């Protein structure tokens, strides 16, 4: 939801709901939590005589999202680096053939065993 809201100044609750594929309950709980920590503002009003709720990710929320995404990028880069190192250090050894590999199963077929 924060990533969705980071792409605009503010969005209508229903637009965020549809855009993020969340339930009303999940979005409402997330909005409450982010508003409580000071990352999001909620504005209520009317548009064409219909009640509307607008959500806006404020500076603190945008900064927190950017830090979170940077941390995720760092984790992903470290994992990729480890994978490359592991691949370079891996020594192929003889592949042991699994017992019975390549042979047909013994006895009757599984379907026939339960009759």
């Amino acid at each position: 939801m924060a990533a969705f809201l980071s792409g605009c100044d503010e969005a209508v609750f229903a637009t965020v709901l549809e855009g993020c594929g969340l339930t009303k309950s999940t979005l409402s709980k997330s909005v409450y939590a982010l508003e409580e920590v000071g990352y999001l503002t909620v504005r209520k009003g009317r548009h064409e005589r219909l009640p509307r709720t607008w959500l806006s990710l404020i500076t603190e929320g945008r900064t927190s999202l950017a830090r979170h995404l940077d941390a995720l990028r760092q984790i992903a880069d470290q994992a990729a680096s480890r994978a490359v190192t592991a691949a370079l250090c891996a020594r192929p050894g003889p592949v042991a053939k699994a017992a019975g590999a390549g042979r047909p199963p013994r006895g009757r077929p599984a379907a026939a065993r339960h009759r």
Side-chain angles (χ1 to χ4, degrees), residues 6-107:
S6 72
C8 58
D9 290 334
E10 70 178 3
V12 175
F13 184 93
T15 303
V16 178
L17 188 69
E18 183 179 320
C20 294
L22 301 171
T23 64
K24 286 182 182 180
S25 174
T26 301
L27 181 56
S28 293
K29 289 174 186 177
S30 297
V31 165
Y32 177 79
L34 292 176
E35 188 179 24
E36 285 293 304
V37 295
Y39 291 170
L40 180 84
T41 59
V42 177
R43 182 173 66 88
K44 294 186 180 269
R46 292 189 171 275
H47 177 72
E48 297 179 2
R49 299 178 8 180
L50 296 172
R52 291 281 188 263
T53 300
W54 290 271
L55 307 174
S56 179
L57 194 63
I58 59 177
T59 303
E60 291 82 358
R62 291 174 188 277
T63 301
S64 180
L65 175 64
R67 275 193 241 125
H68 182 70
L69 293 174
D70 287 342
L72 289 175
R73 282 186 200 98
Q74 185 177 9
I75 291 168
D77 290 345
Q78 289 172 354
S81 177
R82 286 188 196 118
V84 168
T85 302
L88 292 175
C89 295
R91 295 183 193 167
V95 178
K97 191 171 184 180
R103 287 187 293 185
R106 295 183 190 172

